[in-house]
Amino acid sequence: MGILNLTPDSFSDGGHYLEVNAAVKRALQMLNEGAAIIDIGGESTRPGAQSLSENDEIERVVPVIRALREVSDAPISIDTSKAAVMKAAVAAGANLINDVRALQENQALETAANLKVPVCLMHMQGAPRSMQHDPQYHDVVKDVKNFLQQRVASCVDAGISREQIIIDPGFGFGKTLAHNLSLLKHLSEFTEIGLPVLVGISRKSMLGQITGAEVDQRVAAGLATTVLAYQAGARFFRVHDVKATLDALKVTEAVDRAK
Ligand code: 7PJ
């Protein structure tokens, strides 16, 4: 899954022709490098980020989804928590809902069920503005796993079939470095749930905390986590660096297939 970030730090006012063009170009480049899905997000969920209005978020993502859909049949994922954005994005051509709030916002669960597209449920403790202020768990692996299992049950109750659900422990979302490392070390406990697991660690601060590398110098560190996550059973990798990730996965899979 290639990340297409439409937050203001990269594109100032969504909808502008040049910006839409640049976004589509970047998406096509990631598809060319082997991405299977393009994940489009308009709301920044970085630690400390402010929230965005429904309309602003729609105006940022919909023109890009439409424009990408005109030139490609590739699956498009919409990274959002808002029901109205889910509806507008799917109407514009998105195929999957990726929600860092696991469909807990107003109307999100019902909307996703009605739209009949697959969903990715992610765990987050707290809200982006404050989630990195001293996050606490009783047992991070058990707590995150319990949360995801409860959200899966709510989705199934709402009419979303298990076959349509991907789960994600949410690296960096209300977690210390120690929490993130425990989740990665014990990732097989999540794959044992029997649903596909998505991992998003690409360029995140946990990699900087370990290596001291700046955000644009974390590719190698990220690849180490991709290989470890693959071996624990994860099969979706949300990344910025598609070509490097694909190369690492090709080698890992080749070894996996060897006698
Ligand atoms: C994730 C995400 C993640 C899923 C972001 C960033 C922050 N969606 N959206 N999993 N992270 N499913 O990329 O640094 O880890 S935004």
Side-chain angles (χ1 to χ4, degrees):
M1 175 184 274
I3 302 170
L4 190 61
N5 197 350
L6 306 179
T7 52
D9 22 318
S10 44
F11 297 92
S12 54
D13 73 290
H16 188 277
Y17 175 78
L18 288 175
E19 289 165 358
V20 172
N21 251 19
V24 170
K25 199 173 156 199
R26 174 78 189 119
L28 292 175
Q29 182 191 353
M30 291 191 287
L31 290 169
N32 219 18
E33 291 177 2
I37 305 170
I38 298 298
D39 186 47
I40 299 184
E43 183 210 16
S44 176
T45 47
R46 292 255 154 101
Q50 299 294 320
S51 55
L52 184 70
S53 84
E54 204 168 88
N55 276 343
D56 287 353
E57 194 175 328
I58 289 173
E59 280 171 26
R60 213 174 271 173
V61 296
V62 163
V64 176
I65 295 171
R66 273 210 198 100
L68 178 57
R69 186 46 79 234
E70 272 177 28
V71 295
S72 168
D73 293 330
I76 296 172
S77 155
I78 175 67
D79 188 342
T80 191
S81 299
K82 298 186 183 80
V85 180
M86 293 172 188
K87 272 190 223 165
V90 171
N95 311 90
L96 185 151
I97 294 166
N98 172 29
D99 185 1
V100 299
R101 295 177 184 83
L103 304 177
Q104 293 179 105
E105 297 286 284
N106 221 356
Q107 294 298 310
L109 185 58
E110 298 78 1
T111 301
N114 284 334
L115 290 169
K116 307 226 174 291
V117 293
V119 297
C120 177
L121 307 173
M122 197 198 80
H123 173 273
M124 165 162 55
Q125 183 180 92
R129 219 165 54 78
S130 57
M131 66 189 177
Q132 291 309 104
H133 300 161
D134 196 26
Q136 304 271 350
Y137 295 87
H138 174 63
D139 173 328
V140 69
V141 176
K142 274 201 191 123
D143 293 358
V144 172
K145 196 173 165 182
N146 282 340
F147 169 84
L148 290 173
Q149 284 178 312
Q150 280 171 20
R151 292 310 299 154
V152 170
S154 298
C155 285
V156 171
D157 284 346
I160 301 173
S161 74
R162 270 181 80 85
E163 289 68 40
Q164 299 267 76
I165 303 174
I166 300 167
I167 53 173
D168 178 351
F171 289 94
F173 284 87
K175 283 132 190 143
T176 63
L177 174 59
H179 294 142
N180 289 318
L181 291 174
S182 289
L183 287 169
L184 186 53
K185 181 166 183 172
H186 301 286
L187 194 68
S188 62
E189 293 200 30
F190 293 90
T191 57
E192 281 161 11
I193 293 173
L195 297 174
V197 170
L198 183 148
V199 167
I201 305 183
S202 186
R203 299 187 187 176
K204 283 187 180 171
S205 71
M206 62 180 277
L207 302 172
Q209 286 175 275
I210 298 166
T211 62
E214 290 302 324
V215 65
D216 59 342
Q217 298 294 319
R218 295 175 186 164
V219 183
L223 296 178
T225 69
T226 295
V227 173
L228 291 167
Y230 180 92
Q231 294 202 307
R235 291 296 181 268
F236 288 89
F237 304 89
R238 182 181 176 279
V239 301
H240 303 84
D241 305 285
V242 172
K243 169 73 164 65
T245 301
L246 250 295
D247 282 355
L249 286 171
K250 281 178 189 169
V251 173
T252 313
E253 286 179 329
V255 174
D256 231 27
R257 282 193 305 268
K259 286 194 194 127

